[in-house]
Every structure is written in structure tokens, then in C-alpha cells.
Amino acid sequence: MDSPMCLVENADGELHVVPGAIKYLMGLNQQVIVVAVVGLYRTGKSYLMNKLAGKRKGFALGATIQSKTKGIWMWCVPHPEKRDHTLVLLDTEGLGDVEKGDSKNDAWIFSLAILLSSTLVYNSRGTIDNQAVENLQYVSELTERIKVNSSSAASSSHDDEEGGDAQFVQFFPNFVWAIRDFTLLLEIDGRNVTEDEYLEHSLELRKGGGKKNLMYNLPRECIRNYFPSRKCFVFPTPTTPANMPHLDSMDEADLCGSFRKVADTFCRFIFQESRTKTVKGGHKVTGRMLGHLVNTYVETIAKGSVPCLENAVLAMAQIENQAAVDEGLAVYQRGMEEVKALFPVAMGQISAHHLRSDHQATQAFMKRSFKDENGDFLKALAVAIAKHYADLLNQNEDASEKKCASLLEKLSAPMAQKIKEGIYATPGGYELYCNHHDNMVAQYRAEPDKGVRAEEILEQFLKEKSLEKNSILQADKKLTENEKKIHEEQEQRALAEQAVKMEAEKQHQLEKLIQERERSHQEGICQLEAKMVQEAKEKQQELERALDSKLHEQEKLMAKGFTEKEAAMKEEIQSLREKEEAKREEKEEQSRNFRAIAQGVMESVSNGLGHYFNYKKAREQRKAIVFKEQVRFNLKSGAVDNIPDKERMTLEQDKMATPKLKTGAVGNSKDTTLPKVNTGTTGKSPGSEV
């Protein structure tokens, strides 16, 4: 992004997302580190953002008393130190702008900055006095502006009301206070202190009750309790008052050396310490996901509702997980294009491509999905892949059938011409026919790359030609009746052997399907397990970070003698520890659910492949119908003597049982002797093509 763009517009007292900015975020697949700056108007917030972007100009720097930034502006730049991460800088509208009149949106802009960022920079001028802290009034209103859990959650009301501080610290950004134009000495009671010590001193609580002390302590307690870490930087005045209006056009070398030093230290801290943006559950956020969050939060505010972290994450998970399914399927389809272009191919070849593409598709899904706790979206991907694979298996079989049928038609054409010329209708013609027939089969077998139905199509062809072969046998006057009977038996044995080869081919394909399904299942389990372990780890880190923050805060309060706060702090810490224990129990429950999810995925794959087996069953039923119609055609044409006894017997049984042939009847027939012949489209006469 060459320059900043408006992300959230504040117009006529209403907040709106800017479609162009959302579109940009939707195209950003890298994880993001989001730094937002908030503070009173005309305090130099935009300068810090430009500094972080490594640019002299970008965010508008005003030289007058008017606020320049309206709404929330965004600048996405490559992170200078973390590869494959994008640094998203959010410059917010100045708080307390007198020209706005109605300042109700100030609180919402402040809340949005917290919800969207991983580091929040609060920019102020002068010193951290009581007025400076009170200007942070919005932080004490956050419990009214942000909800952690949805109202439908069983424990939400209790958690939000009693454990809000403990929850906020889990999900809120790190807090950095940048004090501009600081002119005092960093001393407390004659002792030199660091910037952080100065901040901690300014946030110290007053002991005792009373409304005055409660009001004094409220914003300080919120800062201490809501944010997981605090950091302070004090910036001296960058240049003379006369040059301040021209700060954006001044060369860096012309700025005060001590100011440049602090600015460099500030940038280095932000680059090194700012965390990748996460959402509830510890899941790392990409630019695309940040776009979803912006949409959800701003739409919620526009409706007059309170943004809820849990609802936003659930809504985003639905969108992202469906997109993960689509992306995974697209990866699989692209992976199978290469082998599809080669159809027909052997089962081993298409199986190898399937396993590789399935693995890559699942990887792509796992990378993008999150909170797919019941595995519903993973099952959806498995079903989609299985159905697409089933379609490809069918296409490969159809391509194999077409190639084999075409090859047999080509190879048998010379013999068909000889039959027309009567070459085989002479004494000794059967032997000549058999020689030509065997040579044709040998040529067929020698042809490479016939695909998965090579033996099946040959078996169909040989059964069809057995009628022709038997006719030539019976017409050969050179052979005795005994010799004809021997040849008939030899032909039946040859057909039986070919049927065995065909069944072996089918069995090999079925075993391949079973093997690849098991292998794919095992790989999917490994990827799913790794995903669940990673998500559990992220949740645990989120909880541990909050617990560490609370323990550190408790230690500070106890050191200052705030014993009255001890009970409340212990309760919050106990609440976090109970959550930690609950996470462990949840992990065990997930382990139990893991097997159910894995079984569900297997069933989904089986259901998807059922499409393939149903197709094959229907095709076999159609072939049975076509073959019977072919036999009837031969009967009507007077070729009864040329039909083998077994086929004639089957046909007579069918005629007696059902005067009119129906598809359903054939489909339920238990007769396993019917040859399976594919004669092409039903619009042609039976036997008109192989």
C-alpha cells in the first residue's frame, strides 16, 4: 500500500466501513501485527504512524488547530523485521475535537482501536498528571462498550459482570503511553527513574474509600487490569515552536537529536515486541480476517448494539471455514487437472495423483480453518473431494471404454470385411477365423495405455463375438460334430478365463480404492491432530499470558500495601486458574471427540465414493438390458441357432417371468450369467457398435 486509506469513516455522527479498504484487507493473506494510535486531537499521533511506516509523509499532519484525521485510517506496510507479516497501522480520529460537538463516537473509535489492535499507543502531550489520566475516561467505559462472551453463553453474564477484568486482559492489546513535548526531569523524590517507573508511579492507586478516591482510582485500575503489559516513552520537543507547523517537511537531521533517539527506540520496541493480532481462542489473524472483524464490529455499532468478541469470532469462523473448504477443493481440483488430461490412465496413476492432491487440499484447509470444533467443515471438504474423485473415476472409466472399444473396432474391421466377402464361409474357415481372432486379441493386448477397463471391454467384445464365432464354427463342413463340440468347450473355457481376468482387474481397482482411502484417512488424522494440538496450545498461551499479567499486578499491589485489593485479585487469579484447568479438561474431551470426528470424515468419504459405485451399478444394469435386447434382436432375425444354450435359456426364463422387460426387474435380477455388453446408445440397433 503506497499511502494510507480510510478504513472507518465517521460522517454525520455515524461510523461506516470503506469498501475499498475492506477489499484490500480481503486480499491480504499474511498474518498481521496491528498498531493503533489514539489520543487527543492535535497531539502528533500521525507523526508516530508515519515514523513506523518508515515514511516522512503519509498520514496527514495538521499544522493548525483543526483535527486532520477523521474516522480511522489504515496503512499496510511489510513488517520490517518479521517475514511474511504485514504491519497494519491505524491512525484514529483525535479524541475531544471541539468541532464535532457530539463526542459519542469518540468512545466507539477508542473501543474499535482496542478491538482491532495488538498494540495500542496512547498519545498525549506534556506530562502524566491527573488530567492526562482523566482524558482516558473512555477506558473506564469499556465494560459498557465491549462484551467478551455472547449473551447465549451459559456463563456469559457471570463472566462479563464479575470476571470482566480477567477476561479483558486475555484479549486486549499491549498498552504503550507516548508522552510528547516532555520537558520535566525524570525524577521522583529526588531519585532518577525510568520512563516505565514514571508511568507506574502515575498509575498508583490511592488508599482508602470515599467517592473522590474511587473516581481517582477508576481509570488507573482499568489501565492496570485490562491491558496485559504497559510501556512508556517520553519524547522531548522535536524542534522549536516556530518550526512545529512545518514538522512534516523538515529533514530528520534538523530535528532534535534526543527526540530522534527516543523515536528510534519507540519504533524498535514496536517492531520487536508487538504481537501478531489474535482473536478469542488465541488464533492468529490474517489481513482477510481483520477485514471480517472490522465489518462485524462496525455493523454491530451501527445497529446500536455492543460488539462481542465471541460473536465476531464465531461469525468469522463460519466465513473462513467455508472459504477453507472452497480453497481446499480448488487445490484438489487443480492437482487432478494434470492426470485428467492424460485419461485414460491406470488405477495406480490416478490413485497416486488423488492421494497427493487430497493431502495438499487438507493442508490448505487446515491452514485457513479454525474453530471447526465438530469437524463439520472438514467433513464437507472430504465429501466434496470424494464426489469429485468419483466423477474423475467415472470419466477415466468412460475414457478407457471409449478407447478400448475404438481400438477393438479398428482391429476387428479387417475380419468383418472378410466375413462380408465370405472368406470364413468355406471348409476350414473356422481355423482361419480363429487365427485372425487370436492375432487381433494379441494386438489389442499389446496396445499400451488402455486404462482401467481394458479387460472388461475385451470380455464384452469376446462374448459378443462368440455368437459370430459359433456361427462360423457350425457352418464349417470340414469339422465333424465331435470336433465342433470340442471347439465349443474350448471357447467357453477361453471366455471363462477372460471373465476371471476381468474380475481380477475389478478387484485390483477396488483394493486400490480401499488402500488409498485408508492412507488418506491416516494422513487426515495426523493433520487434524496437529491442528487441534496447535489450537489448544494457542488457547493455553492466551490464558497463561493473562495469568502472568494478573500475578505481576498482584505482586505490585501487595508491595504497595493494598491489602484490601488482595481478595479481589485472588478471586480473579483463581478464576483464571479454574479456566486453565477447564482447558485441560476440554483438551481431554477434544481427544475423545477426535475419534468421532475422524470416523465422521471416513463415513463422509465413503458416502462420497458411493456416488462412484452407484454409477457403476447403474451402468451394469444398463448393459444387462442392452445385451438382452441384442439377443431378442437375434431371435427375431432368425439367428436362434447361433445363440449359446445358456444365453437362450436365460432369455426364455425372462420371457416367461416378465412379458415386458423393465429396468427395475433387471436391476434386481440375481442372474450372474448375463454377459455385460456395452453396445453404445440405445438409439442404435443392438450390436451396431462395440
Side-chain angles (χ1 to χ4, degrees), residues 117-175:
S117 65
S118 45
T119 295
L120 180 75
V121 179
Y122 179 65
N123 193 73
S124 69
R125 180 170 286 166
T127 62
I128 305 181
D129 54 17
N130 192 47
Q131 183 61 45
V133 176
E134 288 184 353
N135 286 336
L136 256 174
Q137 57 178 313
Y138 308 106
V139 78
S140 60
E141 301 173 3
L142 289 176
T143 53
E144 301 172 10
R145 304 283 177 176
I146 297 173
K147 289 176 63 179
V148 174
N149 295 315
S150 66
S151 57
S152 61
S155 61
S156 65
S157 59
H158 173 78
D159 286 346
D160 281 340
E161 291 172 14
E162 298 184 21
D165 293 356
Q167 288 193 98
F168 281 163
V169 79
Q170 287 180 250
F171 315 119
F172 271 27
N174 294 329
F175 181 81

Side-chain angles (χ1 to χ4, degrees), residues 43-245:
T43 53
K45 301 185 305 299
S46 299
Y47 175 85
L48 290 181
M49 292 290 103
N50 290 341
K51 183 72 176 174
L52 288 171
K55 305 289 184 181
R56 287 177 57 189
K57 294 184 179 182
F59 291 111
L61 302 183
T64 70
I65 61 172
Q66 291 181 302
S67 174
K68 284 290 183 181
T69 305
K70 300 295 182 183
I72 299 177
W73 284 67
M74 171 184 74
W75 201 353
C76 301
V77 296
H79 197 283
E81 297 189 11
K82 296 180 181 178
R83 291 183 59 190
D84 302 323
H85 283 71
T86 295
L87 179 63
V88 180
L89 303 172
L90 301 180
D91 189 11
T92 65
E93 179 175 328
L95 307 176
D97 185 356
V98 294
E99 292 186 356
K100 283 189 291 190
D102 183 4
S103 62
K104 68 175 183 179
N105 276 346
D106 282 354
W108 284 125
I109 288 174
F110 185 84
S111 300
L112 280 172
I114 288 176
L115 289 168
L116 298 175
S117 65
S118 45
T119 295
L120 180 75
V121 179
Y122 179 65
N123 193 73
S124 69
R125 180 170 286 166
T127 62
I128 305 181
D129 54 17
N130 192 47
Q131 183 61 45
V133 176
E134 288 184 353
N135 286 336
L136 256 174
Q137 57 178 313
Y138 308 106
V139 78
S140 60
E141 301 173 3
L142 289 176
T143 53
E144 301 172 10
R145 304 283 177 176
I146 297 173
K147 289 176 63 179
V148 174
N149 295 315
S150 66
S151 57
S152 61
S155 61
S156 65
S157 59
H158 173 78
D159 286 346
D160 281 340
E161 291 172 14
E162 298 184 21
D165 293 356
Q167 288 193 98
F168 281 163
V169 79
Q170 287 180 250
F171 315 119
F172 271 27
N174 294 329
F175 181 81
V176 176
W177 196 320
I179 308 167
R180 310 295 293 278
D181 302 338
F182 186 80
T183 58
L184 303 179
L185 295 175
L186 282 174
E187 289 183 1
I188 299 175
D189 298 329
R191 178 177 60 88
N192 290 335
V193 294
T194 64
E195 296 159 310
D196 292 339
E197 289 172 333
Y198 173 59
L199 174 60
E200 294 305 310
H201 176 76
S202 303
L203 297 179
E204 283 184 2
L205 307 180
R206 285 180 179 174
K207 296 179 182 179
K211 183 177 180 180
K212 187 175 180 180
N213 281 351
L214 288 175
M215 295 302 294
Y216 178 89
N217 287 342
L218 180 59
R220 290 168 172 80
E221 284 186 305
C222 291
I223 294 172
R224 299 174 75 104
N225 293 331
Y226 293 171
F227 300 99
S229 70
R230 302 185 291 274
K231 183 70 177 174
C232 181
F233 291 92
V234 294
F235 292 79
T237 305
T239 185
T240 63
N243 286 331
M244 286 299 291

Side-chain angles (χ1 to χ4, degrees), residues 364-645:
F365 171 84
M366 293 295 183
K367 184 177 180 180
R368 183 163 185 174
S369 67
F370 73 105
K371 289 188 75 67
D372 184 21
E373 293 170 353
N374 296 321
D376 293 334
F377 289 94
L378 181 59
K379 292 173 193 173
L381 175 63
V383 168
I385 287 176
K387 285 185 176 179
H388 189 72
Y389 184 42
D391 287 339
L392 291 176
L393 289 173
N394 291 330
Q395 290 176 38
N396 188 45
E397 290 192 4
D398 291 343
S400 176
E401 178 179 356
K402 184 177 180 181
K403 182 172 183 177
C404 292
S406 176
L407 177 62
L408 286 169
E409 183 178 12
K410 176 183 175 182
L411 293 175
S412 63
M415 292 182 66
Q417 183 62 33
K418 287 181 172 60
I419 290 175
K420 287 182 179 180
E421 295 172 357
I423 301 297
Y424 303 126
T426 58
Y430 179 73
E431 182 179 0
L432 180 63
Y433 177 90
C434 288
N435 289 336
H436 290 167
H437 180 274
D438 292 344
N439 183 55
M440 178 196 64
V441 172
Q443 285 181 282
Y444 173 82
R445 291 193 185 282
E447 185 73 21
D449 303 325
K450 294 186 292 294
V452 295
R453 298 191 64 202
E455 296 299 332
E456 182 183 357
I457 300 304
L458 179 60
E459 193 241 11
Q460 295 170 9
F461 177 81
L462 294 179
K463 281 196 173 184
E464 180 185 337
K465 290 299 179 183
S466 67
L467 303 176
E468 178 183 277
K469 195 172 188 180
N470 189 61
S471 176
I472 293 173
L473 173 65
Q474 299 303 327
D476 194 336
K477 295 184 171 28
K478 184 179 179 181
L479 299 173
T480 65
E481 290 300 318
N482 188 48
E483 287 174 327
K484 289 179 181 180
K485 187 174 182 180
I486 293 172
H487 281 299
E488 282 182 349
E489 291 174 353
Q490 289 175 343
E491 175 65 12
Q492 291 299 319
R493 282 197 299 271
L495 289 174
E497 289 173 2
Q498 181 57 37
V500 170
K501 289 181 181 179
M502 180 197 71
E503 290 302 326
E505 181 182 62
K506 288 184 177 180
Q507 183 64 26
H508 172 70
Q509 293 172 27
L510 182 60
E511 288 173 356
K512 270 288 185 183
L513 282 173
I514 294 172
Q515 289 171 5
E516 69 188 24
R517 188 180 68 169
E518 180 61 26
R519 181 176 165 187
S520 178
H521 174 59
Q522 293 302 327
E523 287 186 357
I525 286 178
C526 291
Q527 292 184 358
L528 178 60
E529 191 172 21
K531 178 75 171 179
M532 294 176 73
V533 168
Q534 179 62 29
E535 289 191 347
K537 182 180 177 182
E538 289 171 349
K539 288 181 181 179
Q540 187 65 27
Q541 288 173 342
E542 177 184 78
L543 201 57
E544 288 175 354
R545 188 164 55 246
L547 187 57
D548 289 344
S549 175
K550 285 297 175 185
L551 288 170
H552 185 58
E553 189 61 29
Q554 182 189 42
E555 184 181 338
K556 285 183 178 180
L557 287 175
M558 294 305 102
K560 294 292 183 179
F562 284 90
T563 55
E564 71 273 12
K565 300 287 184 183
E566 185 174 5
M569 288 296 294
K570 282 185 176 179
E571 186 177 339
E572 288 185 5
I573 291 169
Q574 181 60 28
S575 174
L576 286 170
R577 282 179 171 152
E578 287 173 359
K579 284 187 178 181
E580 191 172 25
E581 182 61 31
K583 292 293 183 187
R584 292 193 184 97
E585 293 176 2
E586 182 183 333
K587 187 176 180 181
E588 293 174 2
E589 181 65 24
Q590 282 183 339
S591 180
R592 289 190 289 271
N593 291 342
F594 174 77
R595 289 186 289 273
I597 293 173
Q599 181 62 33
V601 172
M602 278 290 286
E603 290 174 0
S604 299
V605 172
S606 297
N607 292 338
L609 286 176
H611 173 68
Y612 166 67
F613 291 112
N614 289 338
Y615 175 85
K616 287 175 71 72
K617 182 179 178 181
R619 185 172 60 194
E620 297 301 326
Q621 291 173 347
R622 288 196 302 271
K623 287 176 185 173
I625 295 170
V626 169
F627 179 78
K628 289 184 178 182
E629 290 295 337
Q630 181 182 10
V631 174
R632 280 196 177 86
F633 180 80
N634 290 337
L635 280 170
K636 290 178 181 178
S637 64
V640 180
D641 294 336
N642 295 333
I643 302 174
D645 293 340

